[in-house]
Amino acid sequence: MAKEKKRGRGRPKLQPVSAEELRMKALAGMKQTADLRLKRAEIDVPTFVEEIEAVTGKHKFTRKEMDEMREKVDLIYDEYIKQKWKEEEQYRAPFINTLRAEAIESDKAPVGMMTKEEWYLAHGLRKDGTKRRGPAPKKKKTIWDLTPGDKGTSDRPSEPIDLDAMERQLEEKMMEEYIRQQAEEPQMQKGKRVRRNDLAQPKRASTKSFWV
């Protein structure tokens, strides 16, 4: 009878675990904790949905009750979304496998994707993927790399624009226009007495009393 191998001293060595496995294990633990805290096994989904739909502004809930209701709704909705994802994945699985097999067997590139030769040419390589001999081609200049007067119809660089001077000229013109408008408008006379007849205010027509 073979003897059982004794465990050595110290703690047992942990097996390496990927980050994805750790993340999935943490999500499973969080879901299990939420199920126990919210008593997921006791929730009847159709009845709970009807109760939520019947809630109106007239109902009064405490903050704790509102938080618990919101967490239950999020939990049930998350389960519904995951179930739909699984159904859609199962429905698409045969089509995806068929398309993948056809793409592997055929030599043609899928529609909308570059072939190997096009990719090599776009990255400055030969069609077989090897480097081209000689220096790399010079990069074409864009409009941002051109200096004034270097290209185009202009024979010399344009003069710089003084924005501050233009702003001062505009302010002076606006001030002159305002002074001209003020001078053209008739001035309102102040005071009760007026010496000039042409500036005298017209007299009001005398009104007769109803009782006279």
Side-chain angles (χ1 to χ4, degrees):
M1 183 176 179
K3 295 183 179 181
E4 295 182 359
K5 188 177 181 181
K6 294 183 179 180
R7 184 173 63 85
R9 295 180 180 180
R11 295 180 180 179
K13 294 183 179 180
L14 298 176
Q15 297 295 330
V17 182
S18 63
E20 184 65 20
E21 293 179 0
L22 292 175
R23 189 178 70 84
M24 297 300 295
K25 189 180 294 185
L27 291 176
M30 292 169 61
K31 186 179 184 308
Q32 184 178 4
T33 303
D35 292 346
L36 294 175
R37 181 168 53 83
L38 300 175
K39 299 178 181 180
R40 174 64 184 88
E42 301 177 4
I43 298 176
D44 184 17
V45 177
T47 306
F48 178 74
V49 171
E50 291 179 359
E51 293 176 356
I52 294 299
E53 290 179 347
V55 173
T56 61
K58 297 180 180 180
H59 294 79
K60 302 296 182 182
F61 299 99
T62 61
R63 181 177 293 276
K64 184 178 180 181
E65 292 174 345
M66 289 295 296
D67 292 341
E68 184 178 355
M69 191 183 304
R70 178 180 55 80
E71 290 179 356
K72 288 181 179 179
V73 171
D74 293 342
L75 181 64
I76 294 174
Y77 181 73
D78 186 53
E79 291 179 359
Y80 171 76
I81 293 296
K82 290 181 179 179
Q83 182 181 358
K84 288 297 181 182
W85 285 352
K86 288 181 180 179
E87 294 176 357
E88 187 176 358
E89 186 178 359
Q90 292 176 0
Y91 174 76
R92 292 184 177 182
F95 302 103
I96 293 175
N97 295 332
T98 304
L99 293 174
R100 185 184 294 112
E102 290 182 358
I104 293 173
E105 292 176 359
S106 63
D107 297 333
K108 296 182 180 179
V111 179
M113 297 182 64
M114 299 174 63
T115 61
K116 289 185 178 180
E117 291 78 9
E118 292 175 350
W119 191 91
Y120 291 148
L121 294 176
H123 289 77
L125 303 175
R126 294 180 179 177
K127 289 185 177 182
D128 56 354
T130 58
K131 293 184 179 181
R132 295 181 179 179
R133 295 182 180 179
K138 294 182 179 180
K139 184 181 178 181
K140 294 183 179 180
K141 290 185 178 181
T142 61
I143 188 172
W144 312 110
D145 301 329
L146 300 177
T147 56
D150 186 14
K151 296 287 185 179
T153 58
S154 178
D155 56 349
R156 56 187 177 80
S158 59
E159 297 179 359
I161 301 175
D162 191 356
L163 298 178
D164 295 335
M166 294 177 63
E167 186 176 359
R168 287 194 297 269
Q169 293 177 2
L170 181 60
E171 290 179 356
E172 292 176 359
K173 289 182 179 180
M174 293 175 64
M175 183 60 68
E176 292 176 358
E177 183 66 19
Y178 175 75
I179 294 172
R180 186 184 62 79
Q181 292 179 1
Q182 291 294 324
E184 292 178 356
E185 291 181 358
Q187 300 294 328
M188 299 295 296
Q189 302 297 327
K190 297 182 180 180
K192 295 182 179 180
R193 296 183 179 181
V194 181
R195 296 183 181 274
R196 293 175 55 183
N197 295 330
D198 58 342
L199 298 179
Q201 298 292 335
K203 294 181 179 181
R204 293 183 179 179
S206 58
T207 56
K208 294 181 179 182
S209 177
F210 176 77
W211 305 107
V212 177

